[in-house]
Coordinates of all heavy atoms in Angstrom, one line a residue:
L29 N 10.5 9.4 3.8 CA 11.8 9.5 3.1 C 12.7 8.4 3.7 O 12.9 8.4 4.9 CB 12.3 11.0 3.4 CG 13.7 11.2 2.9 CD1 13.8 11.1 1.4 CD2 14.2 12.6 3.4
V30 N 13.3 7.7 2.8 CA 14.2 6.6 3.2 C 15.4 6.6 2.3 O 15.3 7.2 1.1 CB 13.5 5.2 3.1 CG1 12.4 5.1 4.2 CG2 13.1 4.9 1.8
Q31 N 16.5 6.1 2.8 CA 17.7 6.0 1.9 C 17.6 4.7 1.1 O 16.9 3.7 1.5 CB 19.0 5.9 2.8 CG 19.2 7.3 3.4 CD 20.6 7.3 4.1 OE1 21.1 6.3 4.5 NE2 21.2 8.5 4.3
A32 N 18.2 4.7 0.0 CA 18.3 3.5 -0.9 C 18.8 2.3 0.0 O 19.7 2.4 0.7 CB 19.2 3.7 -2.1
G33 N 18.0 1.2 -0.1 CA 18.3 0.0 0.6 C 17.7 -0.1 2.0 O 17.7 -1.2 2.6
E34 N 17.1 1.0 2.5 CA 16.4 0.9 3.8 C 15.0 0.5 3.6 O 14.2 1.1 2.9 CB 16.4 2.4 4.4 CG 15.8 2.5 5.7 CD 15.8 3.9 6.2 OE1 16.5 4.8 5.6 OE2 15.1 4.2 7.2
S35 N 14.6 -0.5 4.2 CA 13.2 -1.2 4.0 C 12.2 -0.2 4.5 O 12.3 0.5 5.5 CB 13.2 -2.5 4.7 OG 14.1 -3.4 4.1
L36 N 11.0 -0.4 4.0 CA 9.8 0.4 4.3 C 8.6 -0.5 4.1 O 8.5 -1.3 3.2 CB 9.7 1.6 3.4 CG 8.7 2.7 3.7 CD1 9.1 3.4 4.9 CD2 8.7 3.6 2.5
R37 N 7.6 -0.3 5.0 CA 6.4 -1.1 4.8 C 5.2 -0.1 4.7 O 4.9 0.6 5.6 CB 6.1 -2.1 6.0 CG 4.9 -3.0 5.7 CD 4.7 -4.1 6.8 NE 4.0 -3.4 8.0 CZ 3.5 -4.1 9.0 NH1 3.5 -5.5 8.9 NH2 2.9 -3.5 10.0
L38 N 4.4 -0.2 3.7 CA 3.2 0.5 3.5 C 2.0 -0.3 4.0 O 2.0 -1.6 3.8 CB 3.0 0.9 2.0 CG 4.2 1.6 1.3 CD1 3.8 2.0 -0.1 CD2 4.6 2.8 2.2
S39 N 1.0 0.4 4.5 CA -0.2 -0.2 5.0 C -1.4 0.3 4.2 O -1.4 1.4 3.9 CB -0.4 0.0 6.5 OG 0.7 -0.6 7.2
C40 N -2.4 -0.6 4.1 CA -3.6 -0.2 3.4 C -4.7 -0.6 4.4 O -4.9 -1.8 4.7 CB -3.8 -0.9 2.1 SG -5.4 -0.6 1.3
A41 N -5.6 0.3 4.8 CA -6.7 0.0 5.6 C -8.0 0.5 5.0 O -7.9 1.3 4.1 CB -6.5 0.8 7.0
A42 N -9.0 0.0 5.5 CA -10.4 0.4 4.8 C -11.4 0.5 5.9 O -11.4 -0.3 6.8 CB -10.7 -0.6 3.8
S43 N -12.4 1.3 5.6 CA -13.6 1.5 6.4 C -14.8 1.3 5.5 O -14.7 1.7 4.3 CB -13.7 2.7 7.2 OG -13.6 3.9 6.3
G44 N -15.8 0.6 5.9 CA -17.0 0.5 5.0 C -16.8 -0.8 4.1 O -17.8 -1.0 3.4
L45 N -15.7 -1.4 4.2 CA -15.6 -2.7 3.4 C -14.5 -3.5 4.1 O -13.7 -3.1 4.8 CB -15.3 -2.4 2.0 CG -14.0 -1.7 1.6 CD1 -12.8 -2.8 1.5 CD2 -14.1 -1.1 0.2
R46 N -14.7 -4.8 3.9 CA -13.7 -5.8 4.4 C -12.7 -6.2 3.3 O -13.1 -6.6 2.3 CB -14.4 -7.1 5.0 CG -15.2 -6.8 6.1 CD -15.6 -8.1 6.8 NE -14.5 -8.9 7.2 CZ -13.7 -8.7 8.3 NH1 -14.0 -7.8 9.1 NH2 -12.7 -9.6 8.5
L47 N -11.4 -5.8 3.5 CA -10.4 -6.1 2.4 C -10.3 -7.5 2.1 O -10.0 -7.9 1.0 CB -9.1 -5.5 2.9 CG -9.0 -4.0 3.1 CD1 -7.6 -3.5 3.5 CD2 -9.3 -3.3 1.7
S48 N -10.7 -8.3 3.0 CA -10.6 -9.8 2.7 C -11.6 -10.3 1.7 O -11.5 -11.3 1.1 CB -10.8 -10.6 4.0 OG -12.1 -10.3 4.6
S49 N -12.6 -9.4 1.4 CA -13.6 -9.7 0.3 C -13.2 -9.2 -1.0 O -14.0 -9.2 -1.9 CB -15.0 -9.2 0.8 OG -15.4 -9.8 2.0
Y50 N -12.1 -8.7 -1.1 CA -11.6 -8.0 -2.3 C -10.2 -8.4 -2.8 O -9.4 -8.8 -2.0 CB -11.6 -6.4 -2.2 CG -13.0 -5.8 -2.0 CD1 -13.6 -5.8 -0.8 CD2 -13.6 -5.3 -3.1 CE1 -14.9 -5.3 -0.6 CE2 -14.9 -4.8 -3.0 CZ -15.5 -4.8 -1.7 OH -16.8 -4.3 -1.6
S51 N -10.0 -8.4 -4.1 CA -8.7 -8.4 -4.6 C -8.0 -7.0 -4.4 O -8.7 -6.0 -4.5 CB -8.6 -8.7 -6.1 OG -9.2 -10.0 -6.3
I52 N -6.8 -7.0 -4.1 CA -6.1 -5.7 -3.7 C -4.9 -5.5 -4.6 O -4.2 -6.4 -4.8 CB -5.6 -5.7 -2.2 CG1 -6.8 -6.0 -1.3 CG2 -5.0 -4.3 -1.8 CD1 -7.9 -5.0 -1.4
G53 N -4.8 -4.3 -5.0 CA -3.6 -3.8 -5.8 C -2.9 -2.7 -5.2 O -3.5 -1.8 -4.6
W54 N -1.6 -2.6 -5.4 CA -0.8 -1.5 -5.2 C -0.3 -0.9 -6.5 O 0.2 -1.7 -7.3 CB 0.4 -1.8 -4.2 CG 0.2 -2.0 -2.8 CD1 -0.1 -3.1 -2.2 CD2 0.0 -1.0 -1.8 NE1 -0.3 -3.0 -0.8 CE2 -0.3 -1.6 -0.6 CE3 0.1 0.4 -1.8 CZ2 -0.5 -0.9 0.6 CZ3 -0.1 1.1 -0.7 CH2 -0.3 0.5 0.5
F55 N -0.5 0.5 -6.6 CA 0.0 1.1 -7.8 C 0.9 2.3 -7.3 O 0.9 2.6 -6.1 CB -1.2 1.7 -8.6 CG -2.0 0.6 -9.3 CD1 -2.8 -0.2 -8.6 CD2 -1.9 0.4 -10.7 CE1 -3.6 -1.2 -9.2 CE2 -2.6 -0.5 -11.3 CZ -3.5 -1.4 -10.6
R56 N 1.6 2.9 -8.3 CA 2.4 4.1 -8.0 C 2.4 5.0 -9.1 O 2.2 4.6 -10.3 CB 3.8 3.7 -7.6 CG 4.7 3.1 -8.7 CD 6.0 2.6 -8.1 NE 6.9 2.0 -9.2 CZ 8.0 1.4 -9.0 NH1 8.4 1.2 -7.7 NH2 8.7 1.0 -10.0
Q57 N 2.6 6.2 -8.8 CA 2.7 7.3 -9.8 C 3.8 8.3 -9.5 O 3.7 8.9 -8.4 CB 1.4 8.0 -10.0 CG 1.3 9.0 -11.1 CD -0.1 9.4 -11.4 OE1 -1.1 9.3 -10.6 NE2 -0.4 9.9 -12.6
A58 N 4.7 8.3 -10.4 CA 5.9 9.3 -10.2 C 5.5 10.5 -11.0 O 4.7 10.6 -11.9 CB 7.1 8.7 -10.7
P59 N 6.1 11.7 -10.6 CA 5.8 12.9 -11.3 C 6.0 12.9 -12.8 O 7.0 12.3 -13.3 CB 6.8 13.9 -10.7 CG 7.1 13.4 -9.4 CD 7.0 11.9 -9.5

């Protein structure tokens, strides 16, 4: 939970594969 204007960093980690060998996308879904 952040206030409007407050920066946030999301991280994506993986096991069983190297992310450097893939194209990566971020998606979102609101209710």
Side-chain angles (χ1 to χ4, degrees):
L29 173 64
V30 297
Q31 291 189 334
E34 180 181 349
S35 294
L36 189 69
R37 189 178 77 164
L38 304 184
S39 299
C40 176
S43 59
L45 62 84
R46 293 192 58 82
L47 294 177
S48 59
S49 297
Y50 290 82
S51 297
I52 304 297
W54 283 98
F55 288 74
R56 67 186 181 187
Q57 188 166 17

